[in-house]
Amino acid sequence: MKLSEKNRDFFHNVFDVVRLIPEGRVTSYGAIAKYLGAPRSSRMVGWAMNASHKEEGIPAHRVVNRNGLLSGRHHFNPPEAMEQRLVAEGIDVKEHQVQSLKTVFWDPSEELKL
DNA sequence: GTCTTGACGTTTA
DNA sequence: CTAAACGCCAAGA
């Protein structure tokens, strides 16, 4: 497999996993990266999300950082749309941070598995 | 071609 | 406890 193909695959997989996030749940960049076999490449997940603006059906608002902080809210339009949507799905968000993260967290390695 | 920046996370001091 | 360094790699300047 060529290296460039693998990179494309990584991005594709990121989009795929994000699409699979259930309503009312959130996951982290690191969890996705780890699931894809690149636990140290969480930044790439974030970069993939940046590119996800072109795509449709990508609930990027359900992806937060490890602390449950809505680190990417500034990339939304308007920036408040992210937490607004999360709240609309039943997730409690305070101060740009997901509450009860442990409860709503959706780990692809555990939930999706194989 | 290089240099910087970035939706992150872990490790080390 | 907090702060900084490092790894990771894709785009834009």
Side-chain angles (χ1 to χ4, degrees):
Chain A
M1 181 192 285
K2 279 196 282 190
L3 203 58
S4 51
E5 289 182 356
K6 197 172 168 78
N7 298 339
R8 183 195 62 77
D9 204 41
F10 182 82
F11 271 63
H12 178 78
N13 282 330
V14 171
F15 296 137
D16 212 18
V17 172
V18 173
R19 270 190 258 247
L20 289 171
I21 302 174
E23 219 177 87
R25 297 291 200 89
V26 296
T27 190
S28 70
Y29 307 93
I32 296 172
K34 184 165 190 157
Y35 175 72
L36 298 180
R40 310 273 172 140
S41 300
S42 43
R43 301 174 95 132
M44 296 302 93
V45 178
W47 197 249
M49 302 320 292
N50 192 354
S52 77
H53 278 282
K54 296 179 58 179
E55 302 286 332
E56 297 213 358
I58 312 281
H61 59 278
R62 295 187 188 143
V63 184
V64 297
N65 72 351
R66 190 63 174 139
N67 299 309
L69 191 67
L70 279 57
S71 43
R73 75 191 144 89
H74 255 303
H75 293 262
F76 279 79
N77 190 291
E80 305 142 13
M82 188 174 188
E83 60 184 279
Q84 212 167 67
R85 281 187 176 188
L86 291 174
V87 170
E89 293 182 1
I91 299 175
D92 191 12
V93 181
K94 296 272 164 131
E95 299 291 318
H96 311 300
Q97 189 170 1
V98 176
Q99 307 299 302
S100 311
L101 178 63
K102 196 175 180 183
T103 306
V104 299
F105 188 76
W106 183 81
D107 190 347
S109 300
E110 293 290 323
E111 306 292 333
L112 190 59
K113 234 164 192 174
L114 285 169

